[in-house]
């Protein structure tokens, strides 16, 4: 199986195209190929597949073999791949994902695409729809107890679930200690991605992430979108922010007019391989 290794701000993926559908043993294949010692090493395995409704479809399998509904950094990578390899025709694409059909705008720099803008859709805030076990129109600054600590979280779905937690200093926060406990907290029936945020100003925030089914990653696109929405909802930032991630920056705009979240950031190709 031929693959292309790509990343968005260090959130890295093994990209496979040309298959009609993922192989039967996809969860096991994802675990083996994503293993950073015995396999290629990646946060996820991503398939580019035929689509009836869009230019192509994307499916993302986490490193633990679970499938995610959405993956912002991967959408930028596969759109770059598709434009450069399969159709230089149009700079606007439509990608079918588990979160619906997403519009993508490529920003070529000569032959190569360096930056990509993605319409990540409308955030879902209704408690049971994220999902959480909380029956409320929205879950904003809600207490969650983990061991002897109580955190305040805001629940946002971008197609996949996120719990966004403000802390004193996200950069120094012990993500590996608290992240796994929150990921599987009973409040989240489908588990959750966990984002820890701190604020530089009303237009800049730092975010560090513990991803569902993966663990600590260098960046999370859907998580950056969820963090921007939660930070605006709690009055800490405006709706247009720069999110500083461990792997670099994403520009997020939770648009006032259409309520959709637009994410702009880089996508890079690292190497080609054969599995
Ligand atoms: N890294 C991805 C998110 C993957 C989410 C996955 N861990 C899940 O189970 O939702 C992103 O850039 O949006």
């Amino acid at each position: 199986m031929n693959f292309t290794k790509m990343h968005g701000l260090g959130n890295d993926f093994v990209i496979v195209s040309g298959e009609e559908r993922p192989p039967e043993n996809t969860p096991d294949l994802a675990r083996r190929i994503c293993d950073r010692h015995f396999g290629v090493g990646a946060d996820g395995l991503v398939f580019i597949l035929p689509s009836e409704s869009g230019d192509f479809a994307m499916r993302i399998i986490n490193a633990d073999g679970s499938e995610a509904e959405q993956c912002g950094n991967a959408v930028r990578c596969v759109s770059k791949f598709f434009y450069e390899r399969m159709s230089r025709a149009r700079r606007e694409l439509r990608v079918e994902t588990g979160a619906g059909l997403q519009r993508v705008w490529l920003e070529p720099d000569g032959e190569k695409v360096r930056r990509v803008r993605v319409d990540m859709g409308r955030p879902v805030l209704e408690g049971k729809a994220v999902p959480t076990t909380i029956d409320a129109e929205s879950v904003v600054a809600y207490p969650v107890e983990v061991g002897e600590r109580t955190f305040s979280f805001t629940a946002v779905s971008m197609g996949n679930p996120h719990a966004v937690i403000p802390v004193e200093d996200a950069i120094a926060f012990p993500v590996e200690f608290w992240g796994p406990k929150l990921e599987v907290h009973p409040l989240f029936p489908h588990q959750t991605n966990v984002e820890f945020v701190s604020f530089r100003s009303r237009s800049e925030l730092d975010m560090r992430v513990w991803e569902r089914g993966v663990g600590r990653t260098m960046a999370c696109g859907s998580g950056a979108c969820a963090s921007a929405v939660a930070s605006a909802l709690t009055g800490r930032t405006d709706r247009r922010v720069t999110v500083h991630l461990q792997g670099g920056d994403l520009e997020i705009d939770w648009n006032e007019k259409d309520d959709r979240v637009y994410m702009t950031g880089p996508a890079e190709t690292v190497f080609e391989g054969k599995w």
Side-chain angles (χ1 to χ4, degrees), residues 51-80:
S51 167
E52 299 291 313
S53 57
D55 291 285
F56 62 91
M58 178 192 89
R59 285 182 61 182
I60 160 96
I61 319 297
N62 287 316
D64 74 347
S66 62
E67 181 158 1
E69 307 84 345
Q70 168 67 279
C71 181
N73 286 323
V75 171
R76 297 200 313 276
C77 289
V78 296
S79 300
K80 168 187 168 76

Side-chain angles (χ1 to χ4, degrees), residues 28-49:
D28 176 57
L29 175 65
R31 285 188 289 268
R32 286 187 294 116
I33 212 166
C34 291
D35 187 292
R36 293 195 187 280
H37 300 284
F38 301 103
V40 175
D43 291 332
L45 171 61
V46 180
F47 291 94
I48 295 177
L49 302 166

